[in-house]
């Protein structure tokens, strides 16, 4: 029900997520079941074009590096009509050179 772009090289992001979880645990935040870096592109309601969408998505592959300037921490609240997201904190990163490949 979610169309997302997975991140191929997750080592650095997994380390960042691990460090973040360790620092948030004393504040009462529960760790994720399993970290999986991705970008959510769409949420799909209904089955009308689900098969066609899966076929189309399986043929798409993007290979693009991009800089990340900030990290946003959200709290998600699930409701019958969809999820609501609340921005808890925005952290900015120092600029660094983006490596290709």
């Amino acid at each position: 029900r979610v169309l997302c772009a997975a991140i191929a090289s997750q080592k650095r992001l997994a380390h960042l997520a691990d460090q973040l979880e360790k620092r948030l645990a004393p504040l009462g935040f529960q760790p994720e079941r399993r970290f999986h870096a991705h970008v959510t592109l769409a949420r799909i309601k209904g089955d009308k074009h689900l098969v066609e969408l899966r076929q189309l998505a399986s043929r798409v592959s993007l290979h693009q590096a991009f800089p990340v300037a900030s990290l946003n921490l959200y709290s998600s609240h699930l409701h019958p009509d969809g999820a609501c997201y609340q921005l808890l904190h925005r952290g900015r990163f120092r600029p660094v050179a983006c490596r290709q490949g």
Side-chain angles (χ1 to χ4, degrees):
R1 301 282 178 216
V2 177
L3 177 64
C4 66
I7 309 298
S9 179
Q10 296 192 19
K11 188 175 181 179
R12 292 176 73 187
L13 288 173
H15 177 72
L16 176 62
D18 182 58
Q19 293 299 310
L20 185 60
E21 284 186 346
K22 286 178 182 174
R23 292 182 183 185
L24 291 174
L27 301 175
F29 288 89
Q30 297 296 316
E32 291 287 322
R33 283 175 247 145
R34 184 176 63 96
F35 177 76
H36 180 73
H38 68 281
V39 177
T40 300
L41 303 173
R43 294 190 182 277
I44 296 94
K45 292 183 179 180
D47 297 331
K48 186 173 181 181
H49 297 287
L50 197 54
V51 172
E52 294 92 340
L53 182 60
R54 282 183 182 154
Q55 290 172 345
L56 177 64
S58 70
R59 295 191 306 258
V60 175
S61 179
L62 304 173
H63 300 280
Q64 179 66 43
F66 55 89
V68 176
S70 66
L71 174 80
N72 298 331
L73 179 63
Y74 288 92
S75 174
S76 61
H77 306 279
L78 301 179
H79 300 281
D81 57 340
C84 291
Y85 301 97
Q86 177 185 8
L87 178 63
L88 300 176
H89 181 76
R90 173 172 287 140
R92 303 222 182 262
F93 295 119
R94 292 186 305 265
V96 296
C98 183
R99 293 186 294 179
Q100 297 290 328

